[in-house]
Amino acid sequence: MRMTRYWMTGCMALILLVAGRWPQRDELEEDRQGYGSRITMTSKYGADETARQIERSVRRSGLPVLLKTAVTPPGGAPDQGEARVLVLGDEGGQTPMRQAEGQALPELPWTVLIRALPDGRTEVSLTDPSGVAPPEGVSDQTLRMVTALPELVRAAIT
């Protein structure tokens, strides 16, 4: 079993550092192995409108959007368009971070990743909240909203 650190942070510099990078190959492999199960959906909207729809829906539900940014793939690979990233938080303006032993940078489990695919579809990906225990100190209200996030996102984009 790998040792994992898990904490809440409101440090925008750290959140920007982690959210502003393209997912690395080993992280995608870990997702396939079940260390960080992700839910992936297809939106009926383009990437920009998908991000707007999700942000509106999330804010209406009571979850703050701490950061909204765009991420460009390394080397500007033409087949991979820019991704939009929404980092969600709790009522105190904090978001969880998780870092496994040997992992260079932590992960942001309350993140929604939106990408335009080369075939014209828009992919939305988020961490499955049922597979991640909340860090200590998360309110019951926030926990309920995060648990409902996949259905909230699905309703916003279909």
Side-chain angles (χ1 to χ4, degrees), residues 7-158:
W7 72 99
M8 295 293 286
T9 186
C11 175
M12 285 308 291
L14 184 56
I15 293 169
L16 277 165
L17 174 69
V18 175
R21 66 188 180 85
W22 197 258
Q24 301 300 303
R25 188 177 198 169
D26 59 337
E27 293 167 338
L28 297 173
E29 182 60 32
E30 284 183 0
D31 282 351
R32 284 192 287 280
Q33 293 174 2
Y35 294 121
S37 297
R38 296 194 66 80
I39 297 170
T40 302
M41 308 171 210
T42 302
S43 173
K44 68 179 183 181
Y45 305 109
D48 289 332
E49 183 60 23
T50 295
R52 280 191 290 276
Q53 292 289 335
I54 293 171
E55 183 178 4
R56 258 194 304 269
S57 185
V58 166
R59 286 185 191 279
R60 270 192 304 242
S61 80
L63 276 174
V65 176
L66 301 182
L67 176 68
K68 179 173 54 172
T69 190
V71 181
T72 304
D79 63 328
Q80 295 180 325
E82 190 175 76
R84 283 86 175 151
V85 181
L86 301 175
V87 179
L88 312 178
D90 66 6
E91 60 276 0
Q94 296 193 344
T95 193
M97 289 217 160
R98 180 177 58 189
Q99 186 171 22
E101 182 179 347
Q103 189 178 18
L105 287 173
E107 303 167 4
L108 293 162
W110 293 358
T111 299
V112 180
L113 180 67
I114 302 145
R115 289 190 321 140
L117 300 177
D119 64 6
R121 294 179 300 130
T122 301
E123 178 183 83
V124 177
S125 176
L126 62 146
T127 302
D128 183 352
S130 67
V132 179
E136 192 174 312
V138 174
S139 73
D140 290 339
Q141 177 184 353
T142 298
L143 185 55
R144 280 191 300 277
M145 290 184 281
V146 169
T147 302
L149 188 58
E151 288 309 311
L152 185 74
V153 168
R154 186 171 281 111
I157 66 172
T158 58

